[in-house]
Amino acid sequence: MLRILDACVTLVTFSCLVEGVFGGYGMSMFAAQTSPPDPCYDDTGNPRRCIPDFVNSAFGKEVRASSTCGKPAGRYCVVTEKGDERNRNCHICDASDPKKHHPPAYLTDLNNPHNLTCWQSENYIQYPQNVTLTLSLSKKFEVTYVSLQFCSPRPESMAIYKSMDYGKTWVPFQFYSTQCRKMYNKPNKATITKQNEQEAICTDSHTDMHPLSGGLIAFSTLDGRPSAHDFDNSPVLQDWVTATDIKVTFSRLHTFGDENEDDSELARDSYFYAVSDLQVGGRCKCNGHASRCVKDRDGNLICECKHNTAGPECDRCKPFHYDRPWQRATAREANECVACNCNLHARRCRFNMELYKLSGRKSGGVCLNCRHNTAGRHCHYCKEGYYRDMSKPISHRKACKEIPAAPPTTTASSTEEPADCDSYCKASKGKLKINMKKYCKKDYAVQVHILKADKAGEWWKFTVNIISVYKQGESRIRRGDQFLWVRAKDVACKCPKIKPGKKYLLLGNDEDSPGQSGVVADKGSLVIQWRDMWARRLRKFQQREKKGKCKKP
């Protein structure tokens, strides 16, 4: 009874230790839990980190044992000690008799200390031979501890392994041995540093032969790991505790040294591995984006993902929610996946890291296959050949209208033309180049999409969509639909040359517009048909200007 109490105390200690480390990841599996309607959102509907219940993920699962007694039926003997006197009581293990069998199913059944059921190996499978127990968790779990309660003496040497790929490959979790160097080529109780936090260590703790029954081995995955108290920010430890399968290898039996004496058969029948309970404490791995795991249509265990995430472990953003990169939720930030802003004109989008960084890590979504005659990263302006209907919001499916086959002319009548355009200005040839000197001379630099043109007395009023602003003077220029004002005389002489439906790079100087708002261009402005390759060059000009390399004359 005292041994059972010691075991319980040890397990509770592990649970309390890891509760502090995981920020709740190690809560006792026996604690009553009361959950709000949706733990993944607070009372005001804002997303927050949520995690599935802490469970014994081994409970009820099938364990594959490489050796089990009873096939064929055979004798085994249990050693007891009273003072200096040692006794052996012998019994029969018979796999065909429910009262005398010791199957692997006893490892993960309901553990009742008043009626212990034990799995048991065949007798005297001694080093270099070994016995293995293999458990599949059916899904990725974040494992807090692995514990074994023994009906036999604890092994002299054993190892715990984990797999992250459903048993295809294995890596060691922990070694136990009285001879670490000889058995596993490891030093005893090596120091763990931040440089080797994923290294399995070997220890001679819990390897005593006594007690002869009821001994416990409990391995805490985070105990002694330097980054354990900053688990949220340690991808190394998050990977270290992740497992889909657990394997325990019993490498060497403890003996009294009598296995080679005259009555060796009786002695050898006393040495075997027997375990009453195998536990794997942890949580279904959902990266902080689900409060429970459920079975899908095929019976596979998956996370019930929230925060617009998807995948078996909520390890990616669900479709169309790529405006920022997927991240694991933390205690401070839920890191909810955000839908792309496509103004209701696209069903698909992709993530662009460069744009995300340029935005100050706020938005990186790029809409794909914009519909309703829209274009742009956010489907936020009309495609070539269409103009914006200002009476409708940009999200309206009919916000873009086709430019008539005979669009409003942008050339003035002959009576308005100067007698000699050559003496008035130098008409644009449409092959101008952009450089730092030209950029610095002007007050503003913008990319515009010309939507339509209307005559307004001595001026032409162009409805434009300002796509990008690379420079601005005292008059603040905002992206979106605005008016561009150009004198009729300038347009007549093609200074500048502008056509509806086209995109241009416009560099000009601040000037009061004839209307209440808008941008003014004149014969001195640079209006060049837009090329996508210029975007990066203009961003470089912006950076140089910020460093004071623009000196206007």
Side-chain angles (χ1 to χ4, degrees):
M1 187 65 180
L2 285 174
R3 290 170 184 163
I4 294 166
L5 286 174
D6 286 342
C8 291
V9 168
T10 305
L11 285 178
V12 171
T13 302
F14 272 121
S15 296
C16 292
L17 166 70
V18 185
E19 181 176 357
V21 171
F22 276 92
Y25 271 65
M27 187 182 298
S28 170
M29 70 190 78
F30 306 110
Q33 300 197 13
T34 55
S35 298
D38 192 338
C40 297
Y41 298 89
D42 63 21
D43 294 338
T44 59
N46 292 316
R48 63 182 178 188
R49 181 180 71 170
C50 49
I51 51 178
D53 291 341
F54 186 86
V55 296
N56 169 19
S57 56
F59 181 73
K61 297 279 200 323
E62 179 186 357
V63 180
R64 299 193 310 275
S66 64
S67 169
T68 302
C69 69
K71 291 183 180 181
R75 181 182 72 168
Y76 69 93
C77 301
V78 177
V79 178
T80 57
E81 289 180 327
K82 189 173 182 180
D84 294 333
E85 186 178 343
R86 188 180 301 147
N87 297 309
R88 286 182 167 90
N89 298 310
C90 297
H91 311 273
I92 298 296
C93 178
D94 185 354
S96 63
D97 186 341
K99 293 182 179 180
K100 297 179 180 180
H101 69 173
H102 297 277
Y106 284 169
L107 289 161
T108 56
D109 62 353
L110 186 63
N111 189 37
N112 182 355
H114 302 293
N115 182 26
L116 282 179
T117 56
C118 305
W119 159 83
Q120 187 171 307
S121 72
E122 297 168 275
N123 296 336
Y124 201 68
I125 299 181
Q126 184 59 298
Y127 178 80
Q129 293 178 297
N130 59 37
V131 174
T132 62
L133 302 176
T134 307
L135 167 72
S136 174
L137 304 178
S138 305
K139 186 196 172 300
K140 285 184 179 179
F141 273 74
E142 290 188 334
V143 176
T144 301
Y145 68 81
V146 179
S147 71
L148 298 100
Q149 187 94 36
F150 286 85
C151 300
S152 65
R154 289 173 294 197
E156 188 271 343
S157 297
M158 65 166 270
I160 302 173
Y161 297 87
K162 70 155 187 171
S163 173
M164 293 176 63
D165 53 14
Y166 298 92
K168 293 178 183 177
T169 58
W170 296 90
V171 294
F173 243 166
Q174 179 85 340
F175 299 103
Y176 295 91
S177 180
T178 58
Q179 307 174 73
C180 285
R181 183 67 72 181
K182 177 181 178 181
M183 291 298 298
Y184 300 115
N185 196 28
K186 292 273 186 182
N188 183 32
K189 297 180 181 176
T191 303
I192 295 295
T193 67
K194 284 196 174 184
Q195 283 66 47
N196 67 337
E197 285 194 298
Q198 285 201 8
E199 183 175 330
I201 64 169
C202 184
T203 176
D204 57 6
S205 301
H206 310 299
T207 57
D208 292 342
M209 189 171 189
H210 294 87
L212 297 178
S213 179
L216 175 76
I217 290 181
F219 162 59
S220 168
T221 56
L222 291 178
D223 189 23
R225 310 282 155 173
S227 300
H229 293 283
D230 193 25
F231 183 80
D232 271 349
N233 298 310
S234 177
V236 170
L237 286 189
Q238 291 164 16
D239 182 75
W240 168 248
V241 302
T242 299
T244 59
D245 299 76
I246 297 294
K247 179 166 67 176
V248 179
T249 300
F250 302 119
S251 304
R252 191 182 186 100
L253 287 159
H254 262 304
T255 71
F256 291 109
D258 56 356
E259 63 270 23
N260 295 315
E261 295 180 0
D262 293 341
D263 196 10
S264 61
E265 185 178 350
L266 179 64
R268 291 189 179 201
D269 286 349
S270 305
Y271 301 129
F272 48 82
Y273 303 107
V275 179
S276 65
D277 191 40
L278 168 62
Q279 291 193 22
V280 180
R283 298 181 190 273
C284 193
K285 184 181 180 76
C286 298
N287 291 294
H289 295 301
S291 61
R292 64 175 187 154
C293 282
V294 296
K295 289 189 176 181
D296 64 10
R297 294 176 181 176
D298 299 323
N300 299 316
L301 198 63
I302 59 170
C303 299
E304 190 177 58
C305 298
K306 301 297 175 70
H307 305 160
N308 300 316
T309 58
E313 282 78 45
C314 307
D315 51 349
R316 63 177 183 268
C317 290
K318 73 178 185 182
F320 198 71
H321 289 73
Y322 305 137
D323 202 43
R324 63 184 184 189
W326 177 91
Q327 292 184 77
R328 179 186 174 100
T330 68
R332 292 185 177 181
E333 179 57 57
N335 290 320
E336 182 181 41
C337 290
V338 177
C340 294
N341 175 20
C342 296
N343 289 296
L344 306 180
H345 298 305
R347 296 192 180 104
R348 295 173 57 234
C349 64
R350 61 178 175 83
F351 177 74
N352 183 292
M353 180 58 80
E354 187 175 352
L355 289 175
Y356 180 67
K357 290 178 180 177
L358 285 171
S359 72
R361 297 185 174 271
K362 292 180 180 178
S363 173
V366 178
C367 303
L368 301 175
N369 303 322
C370 291
R371 300 176 299 155
H372 309 141
N373 305 310
T374 59
R377 175 187 165 189
H378 300 297
C379 305
H380 58 293
Y381 61 83
C382 298
K383 71 179 185 181
E384 196 166 327
Y386 290 79
Y387 72 94
R388 171 74 186 281
D389 183 347
M390 302 300 290
S391 67
K392 295 180 175 63
I394 187 59
S395 57
H396 196 283
R397 64 191 306 273
K398 293 184 179 180
C400 293
K401 290 187 175 180
E402 188 173 7
I403 296 173
T409 180
T410 61
T411 58
S413 66
S414 57
T415 57
E416 295 176 307
E417 288 186 18
D420 189 356
C421 279
D422 290 337
S423 64
Y424 178 71
C425 68
K426 187 177 180 180
S428 170
K429 301 295 184 183
K431 295 182 180 180
L432 296 174
K433 295 181 179 179
I434 176 67
N435 55 38
M436 187 69 185
K437 185 177 180 181
K438 291 177 181 177
Y439 176 88
C440 290
K441 281 184 177 180
K442 302 300 180 183
D443 292 326
Y444 67 83
V446 295
Q447 180 193 357
V448 299
H449 184 200
I450 309 297
L451 303 177
K452 66 174 182 174
D454 297 295
K455 187 76 183 308
E458 295 298 317
W459 294 81
W460 280 93
K461 182 177 74 172
F462 294 89
T463 303
V464 301
N465 180 269
I466 295 182
I467 300 169
S468 299
V469 179
Y470 298 102
K471 184 182 182 182
Q472 53 189 330
E474 294 180 2
S475 301
R476 185 160 182 80
I477 302 173
R478 298 185 182 277
R479 290 190 302 173
D481 293 331
Q482 288 197 40
F483 294 125
L484 170 65
W485 298 89
V486 186
R487 288 181 177 84
K489 189 161 52 174
D490 294 353
V491 174
C493 287
K494 299 181 181 178
C495 304
K497 184 180 179 181
I498 302 176
K499 291 183 179 178
K502 299 286 187 181
K503 295 175 192 172
Y504 295 93
L505 172 62
L506 173 59
L507 295 92
N509 292 315
D510 288 337
E511 186 178 340
D512 292 335
S513 64
Q516 292 182 344
S517 64
V519 181
V520 176
D522 59 22
K523 63 181 181 179
S525 302
L526 291 177
V527 182
I528 315 170
Q529 195 158 331
W530 176 257
R531 295 180 186 176
D532 289 337
M533 61 189 289
W534 285 344
R536 181 173 291 184
R537 188 184 305 178
L538 287 161
R539 293 293 181 203
K540 288 182 179 178
F541 292 169
Q542 271 186 314
Q543 293 170 2
R544 290 178 190 172
E545 183 190 18
K546 289 178 181 178
K547 294 177 181 178
K549 293 186 178 181
C550 259
K551 295 180 180 179
K552 287 186 64 175

